[in-house]
Amino acid sequence: MIKVPKITLKAARVNAGLTQKEAAKKIGISYQTLSDYEKDESKIKLSTIKKMCSVYGFPLEYIFLK
């Protein structure tokens, strides 16, 4: 069985070379909301998760599955 590395939302954003404001604009949310999501990933809508993965260039499994 292959273990998939899990990274945090903040690490994914930083690896993509984006500030919170830049990432939030590309995702379509406020940077305050993104900040909240980076602190607590448990309340993010699926549509937002998909946008984040696309913007950050990481598969969903790397960011959201433990």
Side-chain angles (χ1 to χ4, degrees), residues 37-49:
Y37 287 164
E38 287 183 358
K39 293 174 190 167
D40 179 10
E41 299 177 11
S42 66
K43 300 184 188 226
I44 307 172
K45 293 179 184 178
L46 181 58
S47 60
T48 303
I49 290 171

Side-chain angles (χ1 to χ4, degrees), residues 54-65:
S54 176
V55 168
Y56 296 160
F58 279 94
L60 179 113
E61 297 85 15
Y62 279 37
I63 302 173
F64 293 97
L65 300 180

Side-chain angles (χ1 to χ4, degrees), residues 3-65:
K3 292 198 174 206
V4 177
K6 182 185 183 298
I7 64 170
T8 65
L9 280 176
K10 181 177 180 178
R13 175 179 53 77
V14 171
N15 284 332
L18 299 169
T19 66
Q20 279 187 335
K21 287 185 180 185
E22 292 167 337
K25 185 175 181 179
K26 288 181 180 239
I27 296 166
I29 58 177
S30 72
Y31 77 91
Q32 294 95 339
T33 299
L34 181 57
S35 176
D36 290 342
Y37 287 164
E38 287 183 358
K39 293 174 190 167
D40 179 10
E41 299 177 11
S42 66
K43 300 184 188 226
I44 307 172
K45 293 179 184 178
L46 181 58
S47 60
T48 303
I49 290 171
K50 289 179 180 179
K51 287 179 189 174
M52 287 176 165
C53 290
S54 176
V55 168
Y56 296 160
F58 279 94
L60 179 113
E61 297 85 15
Y62 279 37
I63 302 173
F64 293 97
L65 300 180

